[in-house]
Amino acid sequence: MQRRSSQYYHDTNGVPLEDGRTHHVGVAKGEVANRIVLVGSSSRAVTLCSLLDGAPQFSIKSHRGFETYTGTFQGTPVSIITTGMGGPMMDFAVRELRHVVDGDLVMVRLGSCGGLSPEAVPGAVVANTPGSVRIARNFDATFEDESDANYVISQRRAAPDVALAQRLAAELARDCDVVYGLNASADSFYDAQGRVDANFRDCNGNVLERLRARGVASVEMESCYLLHLAAHGTRIRAATCAIVAANRGTGAVVEKDAFEAVEARAGRAVLRTVAALPADVPPPPPAPRETGAELGSALRAMQIRLGMRPEGATEADRKRFEDEDLDRPYGR
Ligand code: R1P
Ligand code: URA
């Protein structure tokens, strides 16, 4: 867990840094490779880490729940990073990672999704070669009836890097059942994905039908943000794919064991993809990982500074940490 300093912002416009680390993702220059796999969950990150050449040389968990692991896959430096759920989390990740990595960035998201097309059966992997649209609750609508105005589907789609998306699809096809299809990223797991909840007036009965009419094969929550930011960012190549957890038309769901097996097969395919693609600038060697003892003592120091009394802490410990100038003043 990273240590916090007293200033969030050294300037109110740029990426907030604390001791050189980005405020939300919690990474500094030299800690992240320029080939990155983005996943939603911690458990998927662990699965992907098990496919690396050895244990990651660097890992950190930020105070906002982002996890970063840097190691090598078949000799090539790669980072595996968790983005949690939703567009804003992906936005933090892409912007802060761009800030700390020099040169080309290659980013592939391996997510999970709901299948909309009949081919997107549980356990299949949807490779979003056409990219992704976005669907969002419309706060200007009245929600009095099932009007199309309640949910806005973007007219334009965010497209992936063509070469990267094609390579990803080809690598996935070696080990997984692949469906090639357009994705929709929703701003909620619930209303904007057509889930009905008697506790809320969501008026979303036609959402899935409208998405199908647009040719959408899968629905999840982050890919459109990644693809759109990459397309409008500096030297970022991105592509996305997601494992179907359930088909929203048939109601069929994937078994946990089968899902985890696909995560490993798709994970290997994604790692092969990012490792194979040329990216100009090799990252510097990863910083040394904090040991368990160092993490333990940092936590203890923080607890004492916050006025807590971890086991064995004395009044002298409290005074010592109070006197220590750990927080650099604004602007220095
Ligand atoms: C919802 O369960 C989450 O699963 C999907 C959605 O995009 C959302 O983040 O992806 P991940 O499994 O990658 O998190
Ligand atoms: N993730 C989503 O966002 N939706 C689903 O239906 C499954 C996974």
Side-chain angles (χ1 to χ4, degrees):
M1 184 79 76
Q2 73 188 83
R3 208 171 59 192
R4 313 268 310 267
S5 72
S6 64
Q7 279 96 33
Y8 284 172
Y9 302 104
H10 289 266
D11 97 49
T12 56
N13 183 48
V15 172
L17 297 173
E18 294 166 67
D19 301 328
R21 291 184 181 284
T22 66
H23 178 55
H24 307 93
V25 181
V27 286
K29 280 187 187 281
E31 295 174 348
V32 182
N34 58 347
R35 299 154 194 272
I36 297 173
V37 180
L38 300 164
V39 296
S41 70
S42 199
S43 61
R44 196 169 309 141
V46 169
T47 301
L48 265 73
C49 284
S50 74
L51 304 173
L52 297 179
D53 297 334
Q57 291 105 322
F58 172 82
S59 69
I60 195 162
K61 179 172 181 172
S62 84
H63 66 100
R64 292 289 184 170
F66 292 93
E67 292 169 34
T68 298
Y69 303 91
T70 299
T72 60
F73 178 76
Q74 296 174 355
T76 302
V78 295
S79 290
I80 296 158
I81 298 178
T82 66
T83 56
M85 292 181 285
M89 289 291 279
M90 183 59 85
D91 188 73
F92 279 121
V94 175
R95 290 176 192 274
E96 295 191 12
L97 293 170
R98 176 64 289 178
H99 189 81
V100 297
V101 180
D102 294 328
D104 287 345
L105 263 181
V106 176
M107 293 176 146
V108 174
R109 163 168 154 79
L110 171 59
S112 67
C113 66
L116 291 194
S117 68
E119 302 77 39
V121 295
V125 182
V126 182
N128 308 129
T129 35
S132 180
V133 293
R134 167 176 152 79
I135 178 165
R137 187 177 181 98
N138 179 9
F139 296 111
D140 290 324
T142 58
F143 290 85
E144 280 163 357
D145 55 23
E146 299 282 310
S147 162
D148 284 1
N150 297 341
Y151 296 88
V152 179
I153 304 175
S154 65
Q155 293 297 313
R156 303 181 64 171
R157 68 189 160 87
D161 176 274
V162 174
L164 182 63
Q166 284 174 353
R167 187 181 281 266
L168 174 63
E171 289 292 353
L172 286 167
R174 283 172 60 183
D175 295 321
C176 307
D177 298 327
V178 182
V179 177
Y180 306 91
L182 180 66
N183 179 70
S185 291
D187 65 343
S188 163
F189 181 80
Y190 297 103
D191 59 352
Q193 294 191 28
R195 292 188 165 86
V196 177
D197 182 342
N199 288 313
F200 298 91
R201 205 172 72 242
D202 289 320
C203 301
N204 60 350
N206 62 5
V207 157
L208 296 184
E209 197 182 296
R210 287 177 63 208
L211 288 173
R212 281 194 198 98
R214 282 290 302 276
V216 169
S218 61
V219 60
E220 47 76 85
M221 296 176 64
E222 298 84 14
S223 293
C224 193
Y225 296 83
L226 168 61
L227 298 179
H228 200 267
L229 280 172
H232 296 83
T234 307
R235 296 176 71 176
I236 308 175
R237 308 174 72 171
T240 63
C241 63
I243 306 164
V244 181
N247 186 283
R248 300 298 310 285
T250 63
V253 296
V254 71
E255 297 289 330
K256 188 171 181 288
D257 289 353
F259 184 84
E260 287 172 0
V262 182
E263 275 182 316
R265 292 203 302 275
R268 198 182 293 281
V270 170
L271 286 166
R272 282 197 304 261
T273 304
V274 295
L277 204 82
D280 286 359
V281 183
R289 191 178 185 165
E290 279 179 293
T291 64
E294 281 162 351
L295 284 174
S297 72
L299 176 67
R300 190 178 156 80
M302 186 174 75
Q303 288 170 330
I304 294 170
R305 228 176 285 119
L306 290 172
M308 296 157 73
R309 282 293 177 93
E311 209 180 318
T314 62
E315 181 56 23
D317 287 331
R318 194 189 60 74
K319 276 266 354 123
R320 185 161 56 85
F321 285 119
E322 214 175 62
D323 294 345
E324 238 177 54
D325 181 19
L326 289 167
D327 303 326
R328 267 180 276 137
Y330 186 83
R332 232 192 263 168

